[in-house]
Amino acid sequence: MLQIAITAGVTLAIALISWWARKHPNRAKDHPERIRTPKVVPGVGWLFIAVGLLMGLAALSIENPEIGMVISSVAIFLGGLAFLWIYRQVYVAPRPYELAFRKIFGPEQVLPYSDIVDYRMQRLKGQPFLWVRFANGVKYSLNVNAFNVAPMMQAIDFHRATGRWPLPVDSAHLPPADVAARNDPRPRLDATIPGPD
């Protein structure tokens, strides 16, 4: 019974954090288009660092500390540093025609939606995850409840409706109205199909 209650509590907490993160995206100050992980991530990191330091100081104050206590304090401290590293490193920036992102390990990636060769939605612990694979082999997944990636979802809807991905056009010689229409990633429902001449 206790295990069920703990599982339900963790699931509810994840859902609430995801909902809050989507309603209030944590955007980078220097690059507002970049959405970072929720601010609870560095909060947990600093908490782990503080607990690890306190446990380490307590172990040092004992004449013959247990090795398990020392290992635990170091592990908790390193876990806190890992949370801070994740917060600093990870971001996603969905744009009308491309996706910019950086995972925990690896360089920044800027890949056009037209390079997507496979995508699907999966549920993990009740949360919807979008999984995509690009032509160069790069794979990327994220919780769409925790990250507001509306431009990317619009591009996927466009692909489902038309069979192709939205692409930017050379608008130098087009009237402003035509530029807006041709760059709109949403399919036009009022478009008419020309008849035969």
Side-chain angles (χ1 to χ4, degrees), residues 44-69:
V44 172
W46 285 114
L47 177 62
F48 277 24
I49 288 175
V51 172
L53 287 175
L54 290 176
M55 289 182 61
L57 291 175
L60 292 176
S61 65
I62 302 175
E63 184 175 353
N64 294 312
E66 295 183 3
I67 187 64
M69 185 176 182

Side-chain angles (χ1 to χ4, degrees), residues 106-125:
E108 291 181 307
Q109 301 274 357
V110 181
L111 300 173
Y113 298 135
S114 57
D115 281 0
I116 294 177
V117 296
D118 188 20
Y119 63 89
R120 62 177 179 267
M121 294 290 296
Q122 294 178 328
R123 298 196 72 84
L124 180 62
K125 294 184 179 180

